[in-house]
Amino acid sequence: MAKITFIQPDGSAQVVTAEPGLTVMEAAKMADVPGIEAECGGACACATCHVYVDADWREKTGKPSDMEEDMLDFAFDVREESRLSCQVKVTAELDGLVLRVPAKQF
Amino acid sequence: MTVLERPDGAQPEPIETDVVIIGAGPCGLFAVFELGLLDLKCHVVDILGKPGGQCSELYPEKPIYDVPALPIVTGQELTDRLLEQIKPFNPVFHFGERIDGLARQTDGRFLLTTDGGQQFLANVVVIAAGGGSFTPKRPPLQGIEAFEGTSVFYSVRRMDDFRGKDVLIVGGGDSALDWTLNLQPVVKSLTLLHRRDEFRGAPHSVNEMRRLVEEGRVRLMIGQVTALHGEGSKLAAATVKTAIGQETIGVETMLPFFGLTMKLGPVADWGLNLNENLIPVDTEKFETSEKGIFAIGDINTYPGKLKLILSGFHEAALMAQAAQKIVYPDKKVVFQYTTSSSSLQKKLGVK
């Protein structure tokens, strides 16, 4: 299992225990993390599961694919550390991952 | 497939039909089949420009694994197969239109009005609107609502509205590029803003845009809007965050193209009971709080509801039985199988 911390814009943090193999979005939805809407259900088709990856973790989570970059065009306030959480797979390596939820998800 | 297109500005007579189905997703399409077997004629209205709803808009290429007897099927294949299946019933489609008004008439029928002014008179209404209507995403910028319709637009209705204006187009897909190319000749100035220097649009549009930028006729900015400024409903400027800092540019109109999102939309104004943006129905007929108005698929709710395509198909079948009793109250309903009934096979055109 991997522990993932979601930090809300107000600074509050929620630690979610996620099973490897799930996507980070699925783990967030199961734990009702606010601000992860995932309108399309994980098809990389809506950009409403946008998160910012903490600087220490950017190498481990990697860069978005071309398809994900295209979909990030539909997100708001996209930054270098932006990812769509439906495209990040939970692995044992990501135990301790810290993510920030954007203030607005469109 | 019959698609009805209406010339601009025409105010046609209301179309009379047995059933109007709102939404051309899988459940709306399958409802045509079940209603058709019971001799009910349907018009189908959808805000998107094509059938399939979320299946074709959100995941046309993605496989679905839980449609009975189809171990794997993509959203587009499912849509195509449903269209083939309902062909014998010749439904009439109205794409790119949203039902805004729904009101019961004194004769018991419903008068439905689209945003384009088309009207329908129907005995039965089936709401198969899924997650609601697909509407353009509104950038979450403070105060943007005030500018909408006068300075901020999500589509171009008349190019003349942009003539002689300082225009900001935001986005990196085909809509943003196409309107950059089309509006550039009529506007005073045009800035195209995108978060990165890569565009998803058709390559020739991208090239054409780059040429206009090189010739100095379009300004390309790489960045994101962070604030809008203006008085009342009149936009005056937009603040843009770029790689090197911030810049405030003078613009009178803005066209943001950030794709579509699903919103319940006008359904909320029809006087139906709602429960957290879903429509409660019974599980015998899938009828709403209003007799003659049914809701099937993702948009309804009842104890045990599962938002599955297969559940929506079941709901369509039961709804059709109840709809038939409304349209043909005196007709004796005899339950029949398509495998053995010659009358059903005749309707399907296989006999």
Side-chain angles (χ1 to χ4, degrees):
Chain A
M1 299 298 257
K3 283 197 171 10
I4 302 172
T5 304
F6 291 88
I7 300 173
Q8 293 295 326
D10 66 4
S12 63
Q14 180 178 354
V15 182
V16 170
T17 308
E19 197 180 319
L22 292 180
T23 66
V24 170
M25 177 279 281
E26 288 170 324
K29 289 299 281 184
M30 280 181 196
D32 292 319
V33 174
I36 304 292
E37 287 172 22
E39 196 175 81
C40 79
C44 195
C46 74
T48 59
C49 65
H50 178 202
V51 291
Y52 302 122
V53 179
D54 185 82
D56 294 344
W57 289 91
R58 282 178 61 192
E59 206 166 303
K60 282 210 172 113
T61 50
K63 282 195 182 311
S65 67
D66 286 353
M67 179 176 72
E68 188 181 338
E69 278 287 1
D70 283 355
M71 200 40 63
L72 276 167
D73 284 351
F74 294 127
F76 188 73
D77 195 5
V78 180
R79 303 174 194 166
E80 279 287 306
E81 63 270 30
S82 287
R83 289 295 308 267
L84 295 180
S85 57
C86 73
Q87 300 301 304
V88 181
K89 273 258 192 293
V90 178
T91 58
E93 257 211 314
L94 291 184
D95 186 25
L97 176 65
V98 178
L99 303 169
R100 283 180 179 75
V101 180
K104 295 271 173 65
Q105 201 69 268
F106 247 103
Chain B
M1 181 164 76
T2 312
V3 177
L4 212 71
E5 291 196 36
R6 219 161 25 75
D8 261 358
Q11 282 295 336
E13 290 289 296
I15 294 170
E16 297 190 40
T17 180
D18 295 327
V19 183
V20 167
I21 299 172
I22 304 170
C27 297
L29 295 178
F30 193 64
V32 172
F33 183 85
E34 290 294 339
L35 291 162
L37 286 179
L38 301 174
D39 301 316
L40 273 62
K41 295 276 168 225
C42 302
H43 281 250
V44 186
V45 182
D46 199 295
I47 192 156
L48 294 175
K50 57 184 187 295
Q54 291 181 48
C55 283
S56 58
E57 183 64 26
L58 291 182
Y59 44 88
E61 307 300 332
K62 292 259 170 180
I64 307 167
Y65 300 101
D66 62 352
V67 177
L70 297 174
I72 177 168
V73 64
T74 66
Q76 193 54 50
E77 276 170 354
L78 183 72
T79 303
D80 293 344
R81 282 169 180 242
L82 283 163
L83 286 171
E84 189 189 333
Q85 193 169 25
I86 66 177
K87 214 170 168 187
F89 303 111
N90 204 16
V92 185
F93 288 97
H94 306 260
F95 292 122
E97 293 204 60
R98 186 181 69 196
I99 298 288
D100 277 355
L102 170 59
R104 196 189 288 275
Q105 305 299 288
T106 46
D107 65 0
R109 290 189 296 175
F110 297 99
L111 179 69
L112 300 99
T113 310
T114 71
D115 54 348
Q118 176 67 60
Q119 293 194 311
F120 301 90
L121 274 169
N123 300 78
V124 167
V125 174
V126 178
I127 304 173
S133 16
F134 278 95
T135 43
K137 279 188 186 174
R138 162 195 283 166
L141 295 164
Q142 203 172 356
I144 190 168
E145 295 91 338
F147 300 119
E148 285 172 352
T150 45
S151 306
V152 173
F153 303 92
Y154 299 99
S155 62
V156 178
R157 295 227 164 191
R158 295 186 325 137
M159 294 221 320
D160 249 5
D161 294 342
F162 298 83
R163 188 173 296 280
K165 295 266 173 67
D166 293 309
V167 177
L168 173 65
I169 294 180
V170 192
D174 280 312
S175 305
L177 289 165
D178 289 350
W179 286 116
T180 297
L181 304 182
N182 286 322
L183 289 175
Q184 185 275 326
V186 305
V187 301
K188 185 171 156 207
S189 77
L190 197 148
T191 305
L192 173 62
L193 173 67
H194 185 40
R195 72 169 184 97
R196 56 183 177 139
D197 200 6
E198 267 176 74
F199 291 81
R200 303 181 309 279
H204 83 271
S205 308
V206 179
N207 294 339
E208 193 61 16
M209 176 274 291
R210 298 251 184 231
R211 191 176 61 78
L212 290 172
V213 172
E214 255 173 50
E215 292 170 358
R217 291 194 277 171
V218 166
R219 179 179 182 199
L220 173 61
M221 284 184 86
I222 305 302
Q224 297 174 79
V225 183
T226 54
L228 299 177
H229 317 277
E231 279 206 20
S233 63
K234 276 190 77 175
L235 182 66
T239 301
V240 176
K241 189 172 86 177
T242 65
I244 49 165
Q246 273 202 354
E247 186 181 334
T248 297
I249 55 171
V251 287
E252 297 168 276
T253 56
M254 176 167 94
L255 279 162
F257 293 111
F258 286 97
L260 302 173
T261 184
M262 288 174 282
K263 292 259 183 284
L264 185 61
V267 175
D269 308 325
W270 299 339
L272 303 173
N273 286 348
L274 293 178
N275 180 6
E276 290 181 10
N277 280 347
L278 297 169
I279 305 172
V281 291
D282 65 74
T283 49
E284 180 197 346
K285 302 182 295 246
F286 300 92
E287 200 167 32
T288 68
S289 57
E290 194 68 34
K291 195 170 163 35
I293 303 180
F294 299 84
I296 59 170
D298 284 1
I299 199 152
N300 75 15
T301 183
Y302 52 84
K305 168 72 183 181
L306 285 179
K307 286 189 183 184
L308 292 177
I309 290 169
L310 75 94
S311 306
F313 289 169
H314 160 81
E315 294 161 16
L318 268 59
M319 169 281 293
Q321 298 289 322
Q324 192 200 31
K325 289 198 184 82
I326 292 173
V327 180
Y328 299 110
D330 302 324
K331 203 168 186 173
K332 190 166 172 264
V333 184
V334 184
F335 177 72
Q336 301 177 94
Y337 292 106
T338 53
T339 315
S340 48
S341 155
S342 26
S343 85
L344 291 186
Q345 289 173 2
K346 202 173 150 208
K347 293 175 196 177
L348 288 165
V350 291
K351 261 275 161 73

mmCIF file of all heavy atoms in Angstrom, chain B residues 282-306:
data_model
loop_
_atom_site.group_PDB
_atom_site.id
_atom_site.type_symbol
_atom_site.label_atom_id
_atom_site.label_comp_id
_atom_site.label_asym_id
_atom_site.label_seq_id
_atom_site.Cartn_x
_atom_site.Cartn_y
_atom_site.Cartn_z
ATOM 1 N N ASP B 282 -39.620 6.203 -10.397
ATOM 2 C CA ASP B 282 -40.020 4.908 -9.838
ATOM 3 C C ASP B 282 -39.321 3.812 -10.634
ATOM 4 O O ASP B 282 -38.779 4.073 -11.712
ATOM 5 C CB ASP B 282 -41.546 4.759 -9.905
ATOM 6 C CG ASP B 282 -42.025 4.717 -11.347
ATOM 7 O OD1 ASP B 282 -41.812 3.681 -12.002
ATOM 8 O OD2 ASP B 282 -42.582 5.720 -11.834
ATOM 9 N N THR B 283 -39.336 2.609 -10.128
ATOM 10 C CA THR B 283 -38.606 1.541 -10.838
ATOM 11 C C THR B 283 -39.548 0.612 -11.598
ATOM 12 O O THR B 283 -39.147 -0.455 -12.046
ATOM 13 C CB THR B 283 -37.752 0.726 -9.851
ATOM 14 O OG1 THR B 283 -38.558 0.347 -8.748
ATOM 15 C CG2 THR B 283 -36.566 1.530 -9.374
ATOM 16 N N GLU B 284 -40.800 1.050 -11.734
ATOM 17 C CA GLU B 284 -41.716 0.273 -12.574
ATOM 18 C C GLU B 284 -41.746 0.864 -13.975
ATOM 19 O O GLU B 284 -41.664 0.153 -14.973
ATOM 20 C CB GLU B 284 -43.123 0.308 -11.962
ATOM 21 C CG GLU B 284 -44.143 -0.469 -12.760
ATOM 22 C CD GLU B 284 -45.573 -0.090 -12.383
ATOM 23 O OE1 GLU B 284 -45.761 0.571 -11.332
ATOM 24 O OE2 GLU B 284 -46.485 -0.422 -13.154
ATOM 25 N N LYS B 285 -41.821 2.208 -14.007
ATOM 26 C CA LYS B 285 -41.985 2.886 -15.296
ATOM 27 C C LYS B 285 -40.852 3.876 -15.588
ATOM 28 O O LYS B 285 -40.745 4.410 -16.661
ATOM 29 C CB LYS B 285 -43.308 3.659 -15.293
ATOM 30 C CG LYS B 285 -44.518 2.785 -15.023
ATOM 31 C CD LYS B 285 -45.808 3.592 -15.079
ATOM 32 C CE LYS B 285 -45.905 4.629 -13.996
ATOM 33 N NZ LYS B 285 -46.959 4.405 -12.995
ATOM 34 N N PHE B 286 -40.061 4.177 -14.571
ATOM 35 C CA PHE B 286 -39.012 5.192 -14.683
ATOM 36 C C PHE B 286 -39.603 6.548 -15.058
ATOM 37 O O PHE B 286 -39.073 7.296 -15.857
ATOM 38 C CB PHE B 286 -37.895 4.722 -15.628
ATOM 39 C CG PHE B 286 -37.284 3.465 -15.102
ATOM 40 C CD1 PHE B 286 -37.758 2.225 -15.509
ATOM 41 C CD2 PHE B 286 -36.325 3.515 -14.108
ATOM 42 C CE1 PHE B 286 -37.261 1.054 -14.954
ATOM 43 C CE2 PHE B 286 -35.832 2.356 -13.552
ATOM 44 C CZ PHE B 286 -36.299 1.126 -13.964
ATOM 45 N N GLU B 287 -40.751 6.817 -14.413
ATOM 46 C CA GLU B 287 -41.448 8.076 -14.618
ATOM 47 C C GLU B 287 -41.000 9.067 -13.543
ATOM 48 O O GLU B 287 -40.713 8.679 -12.403
ATOM 49 C CB GLU B 287 -42.969 7.834 -14.517
ATOM 50 C CG GLU B 287 -43.818 8.912 -15.170
ATOM 51 C CD GLU B 287 -45.284 8.457 -15.304
ATOM 52 O OE1 GLU B 287 -45.759 7.688 -14.441
ATOM 53 O OE2 GLU B 287 -45.937 8.869 -16.275
ATOM 54 N N THR B 288 -40.938 10.337 -13.926
ATOM 55 C CA THR B 288 -40.547 11.383 -12.979
ATOM 56 C C THR B 288 -41.751 11.788 -12.137
ATOM 57 O O THR B 288 -42.817 11.164 -12.220
ATOM 58 C CB THR B 288 -40.035 12.624 -13.733
ATOM 59 O OG1 THR B 288 -41.148 13.203 -14.428
ATOM 60 C CG2 THR B 288 -38.955 12.253 -14.739
ATOM 61 N N SER B 289 -41.615 12.868 -11.390
ATOM 62 C CA SER B 289 -42.736 13.365 -10.587
ATOM 63 C C SER B 289 -43.862 13.885 -11.470
ATOM 64 O O SER B 289 -44.959 14.154 -11.002
ATOM 65 C CB SER B 289 -42.246 14.471 -9.641
ATOM 66 O OG SER B 289 -41.630 15.516 -10.386
ATOM 67 N N GLU B 290 -43.598 14.023 -12.756
ATOM 68 C CA GLU B 290 -44.588 14.531 -13.701
ATOM 69 C C GLU B 290 -45.019 13.396 -14.621
ATOM 70 O O GLU B 290 -44.187 12.801 -15.310
ATOM 71 C CB GLU B 290 -43.941 15.668 -14.507
ATOM 72 C CG GLU B 290 -44.882 16.534 -15.295
ATOM 73 C CD GLU B 290 -45.789 17.394 -14.433
ATOM 74 O OE1 GLU B 290 -45.354 17.843 -13.342
ATOM 75 O OE2 GLU B 290 -46.936 17.605 -14.866
ATOM 76 N N LYS B 291 -46.328 13.112 -14.640
ATOM 77 C CA LYS B 291 -46.819 12.019 -15.481
ATOM 78 C C LYS B 291 -46.501 12.279 -16.956
ATOM 79 O O LYS B 291 -46.689 13.383 -17.450
ATOM 80 C CB LYS B 291 -48.338 11.874 -15.297
ATOM 81 C CG LYS B 291 -48.887 10.573 -15.840
ATOM 82 C CD LYS B 291 -50.326 10.360 -15.423
ATOM 83 C CE LYS B 291 -51.022 9.296 -16.272
ATOM 84 N NZ LYS B 291 -50.224 8.172 -16.713
ATOM 85 N N GLY B 292 -46.016 11.276 -17.618
ATOM 86 C CA GLY B 292 -45.708 11.424 -19.040
ATOM 87 C C GLY B 292 -44.277 11.863 -19.316
ATOM 88 O O GLY B 292 -43.834 11.856 -20.455
ATOM 89 N N ILE B 293 -43.569 12.265 -18.251
ATOM 90 C CA ILE B 293 -42.146 12.595 -18.418
ATOM 91 C C ILE B 293 -41.325 11.513 -17.732
ATOM 92 O O ILE B 293 -41.472 11.290 -16.519
ATOM 93 C CB ILE B 293 -41.791 13.977 -17.820
ATOM 94 C CG1 ILE B 293 -42.666 15.067 -18.446
ATOM 95 C CG2 ILE B 293 -40.306 14.286 -18.040
ATOM 96 C CD1 ILE B 293 -42.377 16.461 -17.906
ATOM 97 N N PHE B 294 -40.519 10.832 -18.511
ATOM 98 C CA PHE B 294 -39.707 9.737 -17.994
ATOM 99 C C PHE B 294 -38.239 10.158 -17.964
ATOM 100 O O PHE B 294 -37.829 11.057 -18.699
ATOM 101 C CB PHE B 294 -39.882 8.497 -18.884
ATOM 102 C CG PHE B 294 -41.302 8.005 -18.936
ATOM 103 C CD1 PHE B 294 -42.224 8.573 -19.816
ATOM 104 C CD2 PHE B 294 -41.738 6.998 -18.085
ATOM 105 C CE1 PHE B 294 -43.548 8.137 -19.856
ATOM 106 C CE2 PHE B 294 -43.055 6.547 -18.126
ATOM 107 C CZ PHE B 294 -43.966 7.123 -19.007
ATOM 108 N N ALA B 295 -37.468 9.501 -17.111
ATOM 109 C CA ALA B 295 -36.023 9.766 -17.094
ATOM 110 C C ALA B 295 -35.301 8.430 -17.022
ATOM 111 O O ALA B 295 -35.593 7.593 -16.156
ATOM 112 C CB ALA B 295 -35.644 10.648 -15.911
ATOM 113 N N ILE B 296 -34.383 8.220 -17.953
ATOM 114 C CA ILE B 296 -33.636 6.956 -17.996
ATOM 115 C C ILE B 296 -32.134 7.240 -18.097
ATOM 116 O O ILE B 296 -31.717 8.314 -18.517
ATOM 117 C CB ILE B 296 -34.078 6.066 -19.190
ATOM 118 C CG1 ILE B 296 -33.873 6.800 -20.529
ATOM 119 C CG2 ILE B 296 -35.533 5.634 -19.041
ATOM 120 C CD1 ILE B 296 -34.069 5.904 -21.746
ATOM 121 N N GLY B 297 -31.347 6.268 -17.713
ATOM 122 C CA GLY B 297 -29.895 6.397 -17.811
ATOM 123 C C GLY B 297 -29.302 7.178 -16.644
ATOM 124 O O GLY B 297 -29.925 7.335 -15.592
ATOM 125 N N ASP B 298 -28.104 7.694 -16.859
ATOM 126 C CA ASP B 298 -27.331 8.309 -15.775
ATOM 127 C C ASP B 298 -28.044 9.447 -15.053
ATOM 128 O O ASP B 298 -27.699 9.779 -13.925
ATOM 129 C CB ASP B 298 -26.003 8.863 -16.319
ATOM 130 C CG ASP B 298 -24.995 7.759 -16.571
ATOM 131 O OD1 ASP B 298 -25.336 6.584 -16.342
ATOM 132 O OD2 ASP B 298 -23.869 8.081 -17.000
ATOM 133 N N ILE B 299 -29.020 10.056 -15.698
ATOM 134 C CA ILE B 299 -29.622 11.259 -15.104
ATOM 135 C C ILE B 299 -30.674 10.927 -14.042
ATOM 136 O O ILE B 299 -31.072 11.785 -13.279
ATOM 137 C CB ILE B 299 -30.224 12.170 -16.199
ATOM 138 C CG1 ILE B 299 -30.417 13.603 -15.656
ATOM 139 C CG2 ILE B 299 -31.559 11.625 -16.717
ATOM 140 C CD1 ILE B 299 -30.348 14.682 -16.675
ATOM 141 N N ASN B 300 -31.120 9.664 -13.964
ATOM 142 C CA ASN B 300 -32.150 9.356 -12.973
ATOM 143 C C ASN B 300 -31.539 8.770 -11.704
ATOM 144 O O ASN B 300 -30.346 8.438 -11.649
ATOM 145 C CB ASN B 300 -33.239 8.443 -13.564
ATOM 146 C CG ASN B 300 -32.782 6.998 -13.725
ATOM 147 O OD1 ASN B 300 -31.778 6.586 -13.162
ATOM 148 N ND2 ASN B 300 -33.532 6.229 -14.493
ATOM 149 N N THR B 301 -32.370 8.677 -10.670
ATOM 150 C CA THR B 301 -31.915 8.032 -9.442
ATOM 151 C C THR B 301 -33.084 7.295 -8.795
ATOM 152 O O THR B 301 -34.236 7.705 -8.937
ATOM 153 C CB THR B 301 -31.285 9.046 -8.460
ATOM 154 O OG1 THR B 301 -30.804 8.341 -7.316
ATOM 155 C CG2 THR B 301 -32.274 10.109 -8.007
ATOM 156 N N TYR B 302 -32.770 6.186 -8.173
ATOM 157 C CA TYR B 302 -33.744 5.375 -7.430
ATOM 158 C C TYR B 302 -32.942 4.464 -6.532
ATOM 159 O O TYR B 302 -31.723 4.312 -6.736
ATOM 160 C CB TYR B 302 -34.656 4.588 -8.391
ATOM 161 C CG TYR B 302 -33.941 3.764 -9.443
ATOM 162 C CD1 TYR B 302 -33.454 2.473 -9.166
ATOM 163 C CD2 TYR B 302 -33.747 4.267 -10.729
ATOM 164 C CE1 TYR B 302 -32.802 1.723 -10.145
ATOM 165 C CE2 TYR B 302 -33.092 3.523 -11.706
ATOM 166 C CZ TYR B 302 -32.627 2.252 -11.404
ATOM 167 O OH TYR B 302 -31.978 1.516 -12.367
ATOM 168 N N PRO B 303 -33.569 3.872 -5.514
ATOM 169 C CA PRO B 303 -32.784 3.022 -4.611
ATOM 170 C C PRO B 303 -32.058 1.917 -5.389
ATOM 171 O O PRO B 303 -32.675 1.217 -6.185
ATOM 172 C CB PRO B 303 -33.844 2.436 -3.669
ATOM 173 C CG PRO B 303 -34.967 3.414 -3.710
ATOM 174 C CD PRO B 303 -34.979 3.960 -5.104
ATOM 175 N N GLY B 304 -30.763 1.819 -5.200
ATOM 176 C CA GLY B 304 -29.988 0.782 -5.871
ATOM 177 C C GLY B 304 -29.477 1.151 -7.240
ATOM 178 O O GLY B 304 -28.847 0.343 -7.915
ATOM 179 N N LYS B 305 -29.722 2.388 -7.665
ATOM 180 C CA LYS B 305 -29.319 2.821 -9.013
ATOM 181 C C LYS B 305 -27.834 2.570 -9.281
ATOM 182 O O LYS B 305 -26.976 2.871 -8.454
ATOM 183 C CB LYS B 305 -29.603 4.313 -9.156
ATOM 184 C CG LYS B 305 -28.977 4.980 -10.374
ATOM 185 C CD LYS B 305 -29.659 4.584 -11.658
ATOM 186 C CE LYS B 305 -28.970 5.212 -12.871
ATOM 187 N NZ LYS B 305 -29.643 4.856 -14.132
ATOM 188 N N LEU B 306 -27.547 2.025 -10.438
ATOM 189 C CA LEU B 306 -26.171 1.908 -10.910
ATOM 190 C C LEU B 306 -26.075 2.653 -12.233
ATOM 191 O O LEU B 306 -26.905 2.442 -13.120
ATOM 192 C CB LEU B 306 -25.794 0.440 -11.150
ATOM 193 C CG LEU B 306 -25.516 -0.447 -9.943
ATOM 194 C CD1 LEU B 306 -25.184 -1.856 -10.415
ATOM 195 C CD2 LEU B 306 -24.372 0.114 -9.112
#
